[in-house]
C-alpha cells in the first residue's frame, strides 16, 4: 500500500539520550516534512526537504536534525532529548502543488 | 508573516446538524486550500481541497466555500454524524508564495453528539 511508514509508533526515552525517528515513503515524492503536534498548538514544522540532498529549517528546528540521502527516507534525530520534546511526531510527503500524505505518527515521551 | 487563522477551536454539533469551520489567510499568493481530517491516534488525511478559480467545491456531505476578496474559506459538513467527530485543519500554499509548503491553521476539534 502506497504511503508513509513511521517507526517506532511510540517510545519512552530518558532525557539526554539520542533518538532517531524513521520515515520512509514509497510514492517517489520529492518533498518531505517533519511536524510535531502538541495540544492547542496544532502542527508545527520542524524540518523539511524539497528534494533529496537538501534540507531546510521550519518553525521549531532547535534540538532536531534531519538528513535526506535519498528520495524515500527522511530520518529525524534528537541529539540529546529533553522533556519539552515530548510530543507526537508526524512525517509527511508531497508532490508539487498537491496535498500532503501523512504517516501515522510517533508518540515520544521524554522522561 | 504567512498565517492561516482557524476558528473555532472546538465545536459541538448535534447529529444531523451543520458543522461550519472558518479560516482566514493573509498571503494573496496562496492558491491551494486543503482541509485535513484527523482521528485520534491517526495522522491527518486530506479531506477536500479547492483552488481560487472556483467559489465552492462539494464532495458528498463536505463543502468548501471560498471568498477570494475576503481571503476566507470555510468547511461545511452537512448532516453531521458522530463518525465525523475528529480534528479538522485548514491549510494554504502557493508556488507564488515561495514554496509548496502548507501553512496550517491550529485545528478545530469537532464533536458530533447523538
Amino acid at each position: 500500500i502506497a504511503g508513509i511508514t513511521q517507526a517506532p509508533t511510540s517510545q519512552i526515552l530518558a532525557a539526554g539520550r539520542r533518538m532517531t525517528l524513521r520515515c520512509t515513503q514509497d510514492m517517489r515524492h520529492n518533498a518531505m516534512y517533519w511536524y510535531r503536534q502538541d495540544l492547542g498548538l496544532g502542527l508545527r514544522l520542524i524540518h523539511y526537504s524539497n528534494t533529496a540532498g537538501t534540507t531546510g529549517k521550519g518553525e521549531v528546528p532547535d534540538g532536531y536534525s534531519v538528513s535526506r540521502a535519498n528520495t524515500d527516507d527522511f530520518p529525524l534525530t534528537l541529539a540529546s532529548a529533553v522533556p519539552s520534546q515530548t510530543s507526537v511526531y508526524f512525517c509527511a510527503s508531497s508532490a508539487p502543488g498537491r496535498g500532503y500524505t501523512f504517516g501515522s505518527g510517533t508518540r515520544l515521551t521524554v522522561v | 508573516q504567512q498565517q492561516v487563522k482557524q476558528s473555532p477551536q472546538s465545536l459541538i454539533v448535534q447529529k444531523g446538524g451543520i458543522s461550519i469551520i472558518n479560516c482566514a489567510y493573509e498571503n494573496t499568493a496562496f492558491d491551494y486550500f486543503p482541509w485535513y481530517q484527523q482521528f485520534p491516534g491517526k495522522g491527518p488525511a486530506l479531506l477536500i481541497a479547492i483552488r481560487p478559480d472556483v467559489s465552492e467545491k462539494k464532495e458528498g456531505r463536505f463543502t468548501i466555500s471560498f471568498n477570494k476578496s475576503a481571503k476566507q474559506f470555510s468547511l461545511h459538513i452537512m448532516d453531521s454524524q458522530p463518525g465525523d467527530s475528529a480534528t479538522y485543519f485548514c491549510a494554504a500554499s502557493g508556488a507564488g508564495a515561495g514554496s509548496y509548503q502548507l501553512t496550517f491553521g491550529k485545528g478545530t476539534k469537532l464533536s458530533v453528539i447523538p
Side-chain angles (χ1 to χ4, degrees), chain B:
Chain B
Q1 186 177 4
Q2 298 185 6
Q3 283 190 341
V4 176
K5 295 183 179 179
Q6 183 172 347
S7 63
Q9 199 169 19
S10 62
L11 182 62
I12 299 174
V13 173
Q14 202 84 24
K15 178 183 175 181
I18 302 173
S19 303
I20 302 175
I21 305 171
N22 300 300
C23 284
Y25 63 98
E26 299 173 356
N27 194 325
T28 56
F30 286 150
D31 63 3
Y32 176 67
F33 303 90
W35 284 89
Y36 285 82
Q37 180 187 55
Q38 184 183 28
F39 293 108
K42 303 292 186 182
L46 180 63
L47 180 64
I48 186 172
I50 197 169
R51 296 195 184 271
D53 52 340
V54 295
S55 60
E56 187 175 281
K57 183 174 181 179
K58 184 176 181 179
E59 291 185 2
R61 296 183 295 108
F62 300 90
T63 300
I64 299 179
S65 296
F66 183 79
N67 186 329
K68 189 173 182 178
S69 61
K71 292 187 287 185
Q72 295 175 347
F73 58 110
S74 59
L75 176 69
H76 296 235
I77 306 174
M78 311 300 288
D79 186 27
S80 298
Q81 299 297 312
D84 297 330
S85 297
T87 298
Y88 293 82
F89 293 95
C90 63
S93 73
S99 77
Y100 291 109
Q101 281 184 26
L102 287 172
T103 299
F104 285 92
K106 292 196 180 301
T108 296
K109 185 174 182 179
L110 171 66
S111 299
V112 181
I113 55 176

Side-chain angles (χ1 to χ4, degrees), chain A residues 38-109:
Chain A
D38 304 287
L39 193 63
L41 297 177
L43 294 160
R44 293 186 292 169
L45 182 65
I46 305 171
H47 284 287
Y48 65 92
S49 169
N50 287 331
T51 190
T54 69
T55 62
K57 294 182 179 180
E59 179 185 356
V60 289
D62 293 343
Y64 306 94
S65 63
V66 292
S67 62
R68 186 88 184 277
N70 56 61
T71 297
D72 298 342
D73 301 300
F74 192 42
L76 176 73
T77 298
L78 289 67
S80 179
V82 295
S84 62
Q85 293 177 310
T86 293
S87 187
V88 181
Y89 291 86
F90 288 101
C91 180
S93 70
S94 71
R98 307 296 289 270
Y100 289 7
T101 299
F102 283 87
S104 297
T106 293
R107 182 174 296 274
L108 180 66
T109 303

Side-chain angles (χ1 to χ4, degrees), chain A residues 37 55 99 110:
Chain A
Q37 185 174 28
T55 62
V110 182

Side-chain angles (χ1 to χ4, degrees), chain A residues 25-37:
Chain A
Q25 56 118 345
D26 61 2
M27 298 169 285
R28 308 303 293 173
H29 286 166
N30 282 330
M32 297 188 74
Y33 315 87
W34 274 105
Y35 286 86
R36 60 177 290 173
Q37 185 174 28

